[in-house]
Amino acid sequence: MAKTKVSLRTQRVLTNKLLKRKQFNIAIAHPKRAALSKKEIQEKIVQAYNVQNPNTVFVFGVKTGFGGGRSSAFGLIYDDVQSAKKFEPNYRLVRQGLEKKTDTSRKQIKERKNRAKRVRGAARTKVLYPGADKK
């Protein structure tokens, strides 16, 4: 099957100096084709903005318009990987491959939360993060 032309247009580009990033909406036109994956959109943004490190580009919130042929998304381009790790939520860093997913069960998380409810102050920190003070 021949590849159809796909066009990406960035809208409302803001330079956020406090968070060390560019943020923008993405309008994607993809006639006669299924919606693009986040990885494909990320690669096209890397080419369009001449980004050195593709790990600094985050794409999320991809929504396909009714009837197909067009989609919208939200994108972020960080100045460097350190600022991305500092400001991005952990689940997006895991998707990008910059962090490892913590393997704790849902039950363990809930039990820790409920134990922390019973204590206050510095003791609460010890309950929530056991072993954090050890070096």
Side-chain angles (χ1 to χ4, degrees):
M1 186 171 119
K3 289 200 170 191
T4 58
K5 182 137 178 152
V6 175
S7 71
L8 252 74
R9 213 170 71 237
T10 55
Q11 302 168 326
R12 288 176 249 172
V13 179
L14 283 169
T15 303
N16 192 331
K17 291 186 179 177
L18 288 174
L19 299 178
K20 298 178 184 174
R21 70 185 184 193
K22 284 183 189 146
Q23 51 195 50
F24 45 84
N25 288 344
I26 308 164
I28 309 149
H30 48 90
K32 298 180 184 173
R33 187 192 157 159
L36 275 71
S37 68
K38 285 187 261 190
K39 198 72 172 169
E40 288 176 296
I41 297 169
Q42 181 186 10
E43 289 167 2
K44 290 195 176 285
I45 288 173
V46 166
Q47 290 173 352
Y49 281 90
N50 298 323
V51 179
Q52 280 79 27
N53 190 349
N55 282 332
T56 59
V57 178
F58 291 82
V59 176
F60 56 95
V62 180
K63 295 178 182 168
T64 306
F66 180 74
R70 65 193 189 289
S71 298
S72 64
F74 194 77
L76 305 169
I77 302 175
Y78 282 92
D79 295 346
D80 50 23
V81 176
Q82 287 78 23
S83 57
K85 284 186 174 185
K86 184 177 179 183
F87 297 117
E88 274 298 293
N90 198 41
Y91 72 93
R92 277 196 219 135
L93 294 172
V94 169
R95 283 181 190 170
Q96 198 86 342
L98 296 174
E99 291 284 327
K100 297 230 183 214
K101 186 171 190 245
T102 56
D103 290 334
T104 55
S105 71
R106 184 175 169 88
K107 187 172 182 179
Q108 284 176 327
I109 293 168
K110 288 181 176 231
E111 285 174 353
R112 182 181 294 156
K113 175 193 65 132
N114 290 329
R115 277 196 308 270
K117 281 183 188 176
R118 293 188 207 112
V119 291
R120 294 179 54 141
R124 183 182 188 130
T125 308
K126 289 180 183 174
V127 170
L128 285 173
Y129 309 106
D133 56 335
K134 296 177 188 173
K135 289 188 181 185

